[in-house]
């Protein structure tokens, strides 16, 4: 979000100092300084009139807000020596005439008496002199977020909310080696390609590999933010690495033992600061639960659990879901499971994973194609994965299903055999109702997925060679409750 700032400062020296700091603020758009109270009110009234004139001429409003409100700056800075109207009287008049503008007072006396009087007049904060970058940035950002909230109520458009409205997505592995980091990295790259501002956070604090997958060497990590009580914009900028793909990376520490310094309080504060700056925050939580990544899963808008279609991984996924439920971190029905490395001959299919874990299973499944990934993994350049790769296409489709990108194919649905490719890339043959099964095949479910008693709908990918339905149930039997062996 771009923050438009209008400084009203009568002292030339203070005006130069404020202007210099404002141009250093990220996403800030400072206007030329006005020198007195009359010029400030005239500028605000002119902006409102210009916006109202545009609305009367039929120009569309921005984000559903009235054009008169949208044309006003989000933040006004008022210096204590502004004249001829006293500063507190000027703040009161601005608050009454332009209630969607956040006003910040700049003063040499930041004591409690003046603070109380400024709040009564309608100010949204006070910045003490001599000016400091961190304090100014924090007050401007807080006033801008408040202004955006007021404009939402005035315009009736909840989509205009800024600040901590960024989407938080966590990616957790059922166990190590199921593809958690690859999934997180590719989802982040897909959202960035779609034009969204994205932060990728590595909260696998002891063995995080995001830096290795993206060929990054950076001295800052998430641990550097753990002991800071108030994370300012400048502090966050110093800790986040700007990758050449456009991603903002907050990496795990090189020394795994330092991960203990990041507790749940620090994780909540760090995630809140990132959500105020980025539209999408993706967190790689690894497969081991600690207080920091548990807090991230609890706060997440979308919690993904990655598993592979084998007995050990599915059992681990169920243990993870049960752990979250016991600790009241997240309910199973609020978790989305992603099935990775799926093949047509895999005995355990996604519906069985959904039944075993009690979670929702994403409609998009990731095929097993490690040969496509191996060159990029070995080079540590996952961003160079070929766009024709079946793995990348599947993860981009998953990003569309999750709402991280706009995907027409996901909106149209993926239910038809003819509407989507097979996992192997070969075309499916049309199945005619009533057709006889292939030679050697037996109607009903495949071995290990049903008891084989009586005819029924065939398996999703057909009967496996050399298998018979009469062979009895496999390691997972959906006809009865799932129990760990």
């Amino acid at each position: 979000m771009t923050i438009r700032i209008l400084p009203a400062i009568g002292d030339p020296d203070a005006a130069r100092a404020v202007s210099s700091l404002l141009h250093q603020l990220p996403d800030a758009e400072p206007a030329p300084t006005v020198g007195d109270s009359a010029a400030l009110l005239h500028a605000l009234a002119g902006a409102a009139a210009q916006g109202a004139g545009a609305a009367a001429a039929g120009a569309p409003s921005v984000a559903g807000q009235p054009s008169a409100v949208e044309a006003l700056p989000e933040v006004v800075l008022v210096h204590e020596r502004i004249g001829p109207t006293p500063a507190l009287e000027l703040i009161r008049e601005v608050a009454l005439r332009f209630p969607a503008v956040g006003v910040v007072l700049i003063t040499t006396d930041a004591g409690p008496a003046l603070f109380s009087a400024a709040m009564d007049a309608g100010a949204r904060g006070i910045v003490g002199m001599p000016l400091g970058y961190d304090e100014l940035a924090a007050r401007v950002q807080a006033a801008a977020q408040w202004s955006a909230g007021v404009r939402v109520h005035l315009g009736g458009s909840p989509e205009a909310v800024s600040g901590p409205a960024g989407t938080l997505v966590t990616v957790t592995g059922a166990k190590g080696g199921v593809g958690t980091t690859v999934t997180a990295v590719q989802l982040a790259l897909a959202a960035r390609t779609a034009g969204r501002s994205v932060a990728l956070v590595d909260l696998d604090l002891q063995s995080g590999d995001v830096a290795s997958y993206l060929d990054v060497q950076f001295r800052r990590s998430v641990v550097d933010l753990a002991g800071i009580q108030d994370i300012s914009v400048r502090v966050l900028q110093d800790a986040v690495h700007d990758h050449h793909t456009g991603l903002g990376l907050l990496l795990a520490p090189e020394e795994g033992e330092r991960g203990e310094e990041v507790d749940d309080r620090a994780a909540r504060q760090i995630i809140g600061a990132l959500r105020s700056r980025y539209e999408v925050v993706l967190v790689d939580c690894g497969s081991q639960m600690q207080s920091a990544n548990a807090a991230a899963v609890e706060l997440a808008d979308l919690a993904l659990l990655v598993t592979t279609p084998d007995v050990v991984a599915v059992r681990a996924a169920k243990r993870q879901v049960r752990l979250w439920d016991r600790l009241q971190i997240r309910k199973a029905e609020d978790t989305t499971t992603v099935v990775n490395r799926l093949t047509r001959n895999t005995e355990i299919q996604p519906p069985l994973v959904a039944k075993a874990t009690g979670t929702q299973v994403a409609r998009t499944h990731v095929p097993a194609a490690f040969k496509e990934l191996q060159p990029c993994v070995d080079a540590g350049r996952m961003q160079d994965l070929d766009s024709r790769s079946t793995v990348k296409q599947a993860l981009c489709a998953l990003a569309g299903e999750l709402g991280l990108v706009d995907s027409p194919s996901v909106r149209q649905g993926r239910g038809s055999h003819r509407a989507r490719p097979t996992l192997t890339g070969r075309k499916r043959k049309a199945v005619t109702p009533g057709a006889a099964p292939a030679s050697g095949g037996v109607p009903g479910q495949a071995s290990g997925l049903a008891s084989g008693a009586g005819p029924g709908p065939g398996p999703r990918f057909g009967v496996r060679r050399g298998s018979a339905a009469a062979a009895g149930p496999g390691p997972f039997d959906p006809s009865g409750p799932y129990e760990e062996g």
Side-chain angles (χ1 to χ4, degrees), residues 178-198:
V178 296
T180 308
T181 303
V182 171
T183 302
V185 169
Q186 288 298 327
L187 289 177
L189 289 171
R192 182 69 193 112
T193 304
R196 299 194 174 189
S197 57
V198 182

Side-chain angles (χ1 to χ4, degrees), residues 435-446 459 462-470:
S439 176
V442 178
Q445 297 285 1
V463 180
R464 296 174 56 188
R465 293 184 196 174
S467 65

Side-chain angles (χ1 to χ4, degrees), residues 66-86:
S67 296
V69 174
E70 181 61 28
L72 291 169
E74 284 78 18
V75 180
V76 168
L77 300 178
V78 175
H79 189 258
E80 62 178 352
R81 295 182 182 176
I82 194 74
T85 305

Side-chain angles (χ1 to χ4, degrees), residues 202-208 222-223 251-263 284-285 290 292-293:
D202 195 348
L203 279 185
D204 188 0
L205 297 173
Q206 291 186 352
S207 54
V222 66
V223 173
L251 304 173
E254 290 186 3
E255 304 85 4
E257 65 274 11
R258 294 198 63 196
E260 297 179 358
E261 300 176 27
V262 185
D263 57 9
D284 179 0
C285 294
Q290 300 165 340
N293 47 24

